[in-house]
Amino acid sequence: MFPLGQLSPVLFLLAGASLSCDPGPPASPVNTTGIVCRFTKEAALVFNQETSDVIQATFRHASFPNIVGGKSILILGSVSYIFKNLQINNMSVESSDVDLSKEKGILISIQNVAASFKGTMNYAYSNWLLKLNHSLDFEIESQTDVDLALTLACDNGRIAVTISDCLLNFDKLTLQLQKQSEVTWIKQLLTDFVSFTLRHVLKGQICAEIHKMSNLLADFTLDQAGAFIQDGKIATSTELTSDPVITSRYVESRHKGNVFYKNFSVPQTPSAIPVERVETRMFNLWVSEPVINSLLFAAYHEDRLTLKLVDNDLLKVFEDGEFENEPNVLQQMLPAVPMNDLMLKLTPLKPPSILFKRIGTILEGSLSVEVDVLPDSKESYTALYLEMDIETTVQSSYANRKIHLQPSSNRWSIKVIKNNPAITLDESKAKRYLEKFFSRGGLQKIISYVEFYITALLDKKGLHYFNVTNTVLKPDKGYVIVATDFRFPRQLLENFLRNVTSTRRS
């Protein structure tokens, strides 16, 4: 069991990377926005640490066409050539920088990319006296700086990365022919007039490969984020309500946040996310109340909000540290039944609701509490059943790779109490027992299991790969702010590079 409403603010830690988009202009972007995401410039610098690996993969996977050309020289004759099997042998990247610009987009500057290309060259020389045909190996030593400007655009509901500027400044481009001791004036002539053609072809192919790799990376990130915020038949749409915004401080995207359960959309009301927002961490999210309540609605209908406790888990919930020698509340109500024969089942009677306020996250709900007896040799039966309304204010936090939920105030009202006729239980006495249980922190003990289940789910989804730190979960009127610093998940990059390699091979 895990209450998806409490989980959702953390689930969206990765959602900002999934930039799907609505190809048509929205009627009211503010009212249809359920999630707002911002990556700051500091976050871009973290991603930049992995740029050299992506660039090296880009060069390695680039396919270069045969380069065919020729030249006629008065009196001397004509030379034709073809460069084949052009492949990168060695390469390195010295450094890279990233910047954000409102006018130009995401700016990436990569310094000192040193690469060695190898291949085979065939050339032919002819004049009125003779004809020569030769084949030899060659090597191109290059050193270049790469300057890129990336913009984001919508394309059939997906984010498309457009390379508006791709400049390769060759500081070095040297063609070396094998058997240099036998270089004739013809071969030397080739090294001179093919240099321009080489520069043009290398630039065109590398820029095209960078464009392709950028969109592959965007699709990969989108798919990873989509998988992160989907669990079973419950999914959250990341469709954009407007174009992404790039400023000198951050990249922002606004998402609808529609919740789907079994492919049906859960109705939502307009959100209350403020127009003016202030980022406090590298990654910042504003998630509206309707998104969370829609997730709770879907989780309720898929029976995700039921909690069952037996054996040691049940004992931990009802143990009382203040009165060690005194039987716990459950034993006092059912003295004739051994604790290891009991199961506690908590089930919501209707979808719970979340209210975000500055004092905390207020959870309102109605639930049933059922105590079943599960003897080894007899049929199971319900010993105690009650229904109650509950309202609790919870302070949420995330630290040391764990979610923490701390109730700050609780109100409950027991509406119905029923017991098995075979068990003698006074209704008013049972009510007093339960009130004592809740007044002594019983709800916090139950919530501790919720913390465990949420943390386990986050680990399963791979949140720990990001090594998030300084996380803030701060509710405000109608929305919750999720903000965190992080490190780039190296494992995700390695998965992406492996996928690219396997795709190219197939």
Side-chain angles (χ1 to χ4, degrees):
M1 172 276 190
F2 52 90
L4 204 55
Q6 294 291 341
L7 169 62
S8 300
V10 186
L11 276 182
F12 287 108
L13 284 171
L14 300 186
S18 58
L19 299 176
S20 176
C21 53
D22 185 352
S28 180
V30 175
N31 289 339
T32 57
T33 297
I35 307 168
V36 177
C37 164
R38 277 187 185 179
F39 281 102
T40 63
K41 185 175 179 179
E42 288 74 19
L45 293 174
V46 170
F47 288 116
N48 182 59
Q49 295 172 7
E50 314 299 332
T51 299
S52 61
D53 288 339
V54 176
I55 290 298
Q56 290 187 53
T58 300
F59 274 72
R60 283 196 302 269
H61 291 106
S63 58
F64 300 94
N66 294 339
I67 303 173
V68 180
K71 189 173 182 68
S72 296
I73 305 173
L74 292 177
I75 302 176
L76 298 179
S78 62
V79 179
S80 60
Y81 60 88
I82 178 171
F83 288 84
K84 300 186 297 183
N85 304 321
L86 194 60
Q87 296 179 344
I88 290 181
N89 187 37
N90 295 304
M91 74 168 300
S92 62
V93 177
E94 183 178 284
S95 62
S96 61
D97 298 312
V98 66
D99 202 359
L100 301 177
S101 169
K102 183 177 181 180
E103 292 77 20
K104 296 183 178 180
I106 303 172
L107 306 178
I108 300 176
S109 178
I110 305 156
Q111 294 82 37
N112 217 348
V113 181
S116 174
F117 300 84
K118 286 190 173 183
T120 303
M121 181 181 73
N122 295 334
Y123 74 91
Y125 169 72
S126 62
N127 64 15
W128 59 283
L129 284 178
L130 72 146
K131 292 184 178 181
L132 297 175
N133 289 282
H134 281 275
S135 178
L136 69 161
D137 295 330
F138 69 88
E139 183 174 358
I140 300 171
E141 293 184 356
S142 70
Q143 189 170 307
T144 181
D145 298 328
V146 182
D147 293 312
L148 305 169
L150 285 65
T151 57
L152 307 178
C154 292
D155 182 18
N156 294 324
R158 305 279 288 190
I159 201 69
V161 181
T162 301
I163 309 292
S164 56
D165 287 323
C166 180
L167 303 176
L168 271 67
N169 303 312
F170 286 97
D171 300 317
K172 178 182 179 182
L173 186 66
T174 304
L175 173 63
Q176 296 180 345
L177 304 177
Q178 302 299 318
K179 302 178 182 179
Q180 289 290 335
S181 59
E182 300 179 10
V183 171
T184 64
W185 65 271
I186 297 175
K187 298 176 185 177
Q188 186 61 52
L189 182 65
L190 282 171
T191 63
D192 294 335
F193 70 72
V194 301
S195 176
F196 174 80
T197 303
L198 281 172
R199 291 171 185 264
H200 178 74
V201 170
L202 292 177
K203 175 183 176 181
Q205 290 303 116
I206 290 173
C207 287
E209 191 65 26
I210 290 175
H211 181 263
K212 186 186 300 181
M213 187 72 77
S214 298
N215 281 282
L216 285 174
L217 184 56
D219 286 341
F220 177 81
T221 306
L222 171 63
D223 293 339
Q224 292 294 312
F228 188 92
I229 61 175
Q230 179 175 355
D231 194 74
K233 299 175 182 178
I234 301 174
T236 306
S237 168
T238 54
E239 187 177 13
L240 288 183
T241 60
S242 59
D243 291 333
V245 175
I246 300 176
T247 73
S248 60
R249 297 196 330 268
Y250 58 79
V251 179
E252 177 180 287
S253 58
R254 303 176 187 180
H255 306 261
K256 288 186 176 180
N258 291 340
V259 174
F260 294 89
Y261 172 59
K262 295 183 177 179
N263 295 323
F264 292 98
S265 178
V266 179
Q268 293 191 39
T269 56
S271 70
I273 296 177
V275 176
E276 296 296 328
R277 293 170 290 274
V278 178
E279 61 279 1
T280 60
R281 297 290 188 271
M282 292 160 54
F283 178 74
N284 302 264
L285 278 175
W286 292 262
V287 185
S288 73
E289 204 172 84
V291 172
I292 304 301
N293 282 315
S294 294
L295 284 167
L296 281 172
F297 180 88
Y300 167 79
H301 284 282
E302 201 175 55
D303 197 26
R304 296 289 193 95
L305 306 180
T306 296
L307 175 63
K308 297 179 181 179
L309 298 175
V310 295
D311 299 330
N312 289 335
D313 290 333
L314 183 60
L315 186 61
K316 288 178 183 178
V317 167
F318 284 96
E319 67 183 359
D320 195 331
E322 296 182 14
F323 305 94
E324 295 182 0
N325 297 323
E326 180 182 317
N328 64 52
V329 170
L330 203 55
Q331 289 173 319
Q332 293 179 53
M333 287 192 294
L334 306 171
V337 183
M339 281 291 292
N340 57 3
D341 285 350
L342 297 177
M343 179 183 73
L344 180 71
K345 181 180 178 182
L346 290 87
T347 306
L349 298 172
K350 62 181 180 180
S353 63
I354 287 286
L355 296 174
F356 289 128
K357 297 183 180 296
R358 292 184 179 180
I359 60 172
T361 301
I362 301 174
L363 173 64
E364 298 177 343
S366 298
L367 69 152
S368 66
V369 180
E370 185 176 312
V371 180
D372 293 332
V373 181
L374 310 172
D376 292 333
S377 58
K378 300 178 182 179
E379 291 186 6
S380 62
Y381 62 92
T382 300
L384 177 66
Y385 175 87
L386 64 92
E387 295 179 359
M388 60 187 300
D389 294 334
I390 187 168
E391 178 183 300
T392 179
T393 302
V394 180
Q395 307 296 330
S396 306
S397 62
Y398 184 84
N400 301 321
R401 289 175 49 179
K402 294 182 179 179
I403 190 75
H404 302 277
L405 305 173
Q406 181 63 47
S408 58
S409 65
N410 303 301
R411 289 193 298 173
W412 63 88
S413 174
I414 299 175
K415 302 294 185 181
V416 175
I417 293 182
K418 297 179 182 179
N419 63 281
N420 192 293
I423 296 175
T424 302
L425 182 66
D426 180 77
E427 181 176 326
S428 61
K429 192 174 181 180
K431 193 171 183 180
R432 287 198 303 272
Y433 283 142
L434 292 169
E435 287 177 348
K436 182 172 67 172
F437 167 72
F438 285 110
S439 65
R440 291 183 178 179
L443 184 62
Q444 175 57 49
K445 292 179 181 180
I446 294 174
I447 287 180
S448 67
Y449 285 88
V450 176
E451 295 174 340
F452 171 79
Y453 289 124
I454 294 177
T455 300
L457 180 60
L458 292 174
D459 286 342
K460 185 183 78 170
K461 291 294 184 177
L463 182 63
H464 56 284
Y465 292 140
F466 282 81
N467 192 18
V468 297
T469 57
N470 303 322
T471 303
V472 174
L473 299 175
K474 182 182 178 182
D476 209 324
K477 188 177 181 180
Y479 63 95
V480 63
I481 303 168
V482 183
T484 188
D485 295 328
F486 66 94
R487 293 182 186 174
F488 188 85
R490 179 71 192 182
Q491 180 167 334
L492 287 185
L493 177 64
E494 292 172 353
N495 289 344
F496 167 69
L497 296 177
R498 281 196 296 269
N499 287 347
V500 169
T501 300
S502 61
T503 300
R504 296 301 174 88
R505 285 176 180 172
S506 61

